[in-house]
Amino acid sequence: MWRSDLIMCCDHCCAHETSCITSVPVFKGMDEADLQQLQKVTRSRSFDKGEFIFREGERSETLFVVNNGLIKLTKMSSEGKEQIVRLLFPGDFFGLFSLLKQENHYMNAEAVGSSTVICYIEKKDFLNIMEKNAGLSYRFLLAVNDRLYEADESVGFLSLMEVEQRLARALILFHDKMNAKNGVFTLPITKKDLASYIGTTPESVSRKLLSFVSQKLISMNGRRQIQILEVDQLKKIAGIS
């Protein structure tokens, strides 16, 4: 739950709030006056690794935006097994279900890194700005449509693809989202979480990574640093055109 003593509020535009507004694609194209109004109602808060932004069953009337770090959205099975439904990177927004439908969150949102910063906008402020900005409303609608497409694609991602394909797709995602230089990036999540994300076991993830190394598709330095050597070939395996 939110703790007011950890919320960073400003009488002027803070760096976190400003960068949130400028980094989220849905806010691109707004005129200066609207941007300033949005910045005035945007706040931010830091989260430690393992801290929850919200838990399943809680309610909040808030739009959340990842400013820095990584968020995992998870569901828990009746047996207590965690399934990672989605990973959120800087610029991604979440909390739409509770925001728009006034219902409880149906997933957990947990900070993965130790320096995660979340910006947030209360529903009344966000809707007020949306009503005054047709362009923003349209882009927001498109973004929601993209989210639905990604959700549908994710179903096929888990049910129709082999583990090798799912792992290749996850590596390409990390490569692109983390702006890897020379193809090099550090896995932002543990192998256990990666296994949960692609619907397999940590042992299977390790075997498939070694297989990619032997095929000279990737190289590994330590347990989590990866360099993609053959991006096009990995995309082919992942089914990404």
Side-chain angles (χ1 to χ4, degrees):
M1 297 294 289
W2 291 100
R3 283 174 50 193
S4 59
D5 59 312
L6 293 179
I7 295 173
M8 296 182 286
C9 300
C10 305
D11 294 327
H12 54 85
C13 292
C14 289
H16 290 311
E17 283 84 334
T18 301
S19 59
C20 265
I21 301 307
T22 57
S23 67
V24 181
V26 75
F27 296 143
K28 297 290 176 66
M30 295 178 65
D31 62 39
E32 189 63 30
D34 289 331
L35 281 174
Q36 290 180 1
Q37 185 63 33
L38 191 58
Q39 286 172 343
K40 289 179 181 179
V41 297
T42 302
R43 298 291 181 264
S44 65
R45 181 189 150 180
S46 296
F47 289 83
D48 294 325
K49 181 178 180 180
E51 192 173 359
F52 287 87
I53 292 82
F54 54 74
R55 292 180 184 269
E56 183 177 355
E58 293 178 350
R59 180 177 296 182
S60 61
E61 294 189 348
T62 309
L63 178 70
F64 300 97
V65 180
V66 184
N67 176 266
N68 185 61
L70 182 68
I71 297 295
K72 62 178 181 180
L73 299 181
T74 65
K75 291 280 290 182
M76 297 296 291
S77 69
S78 56
E79 294 81 22
K81 183 180 179 180
E82 179 184 85
Q83 172 66 53
I84 297 179
V85 178
R86 183 178 173 86
L87 294 172
L88 301 170
F89 295 83
D92 288 336
F93 58 88
F94 60 107
L96 294 179
F97 183 79
S98 186
L99 173 74
L100 298 176
K101 296 201 67 176
Q102 296 183 326
E103 295 186 15
N104 296 343
H105 292 291
Y106 63 93
M107 288 187 289
N108 303 301
E110 180 183 347
V112 175
S114 57
S115 57
T116 298
V117 177
I118 300 297
C119 293
Y120 63 97
I121 308 167
E122 296 300 331
K123 177 180 180 177
K124 58 180 176 58
D125 295 319
F126 184 65
L127 293 183
N128 182 51
I129 291 173
M130 288 259 288
E131 289 173 358
K132 298 177 181 178
N133 193 304
L136 173 61
S137 299
Y138 179 67
R139 288 191 299 275
F140 189 73
L141 182 61
L142 290 178
V144 172
N145 182 70
D146 290 343
R147 184 69 55 84
L148 291 172
Y149 173 80
E150 291 171 4
D152 289 342
E153 188 180 51
S154 179
V155 173
F157 169 67
L158 286 175
S159 63
L160 300 177
M161 290 184 172
E162 300 293 334
V163 172
E164 183 177 70
Q165 294 174 291
R166 301 199 298 264
L167 178 58
R169 183 165 287 227
L171 293 179
I172 293 296
L173 172 70
F174 298 146
H175 173 274
D176 293 346
K177 289 287 189 178
M178 299 175 72
N179 299 314
K181 294 182 179 179
N182 299 317
V184 179
F185 62 93
T186 299
L187 278 177
I189 54 178
T190 65
K191 286 183 180 178
K192 179 181 178 182
D193 277 352
L194 178 55
S196 172
Y197 179 56
I198 66 173
T200 188
T201 64
E203 293 76 18
S204 183
V205 166
S206 295
R207 286 196 300 270
K208 293 301 180 182
L209 284 173
L210 290 176
S211 175
F212 286 163
V213 170
S214 67
Q215 297 175 63
K216 295 183 170 51
L217 299 175
I218 67 171
S219 65
M220 296 187 67
N221 183 8
R223 292 174 59 86
R224 294 175 67 171
Q225 188 177 79
I226 291 176
Q227 181 178 19
I228 296 182
L229 303 174
E230 298 290 343
V231 175
D232 291 340
Q233 185 61 26
L234 204 61
K235 284 184 177 181
K236 185 177 180 181
I237 293 172
I240 299 173
S241 57

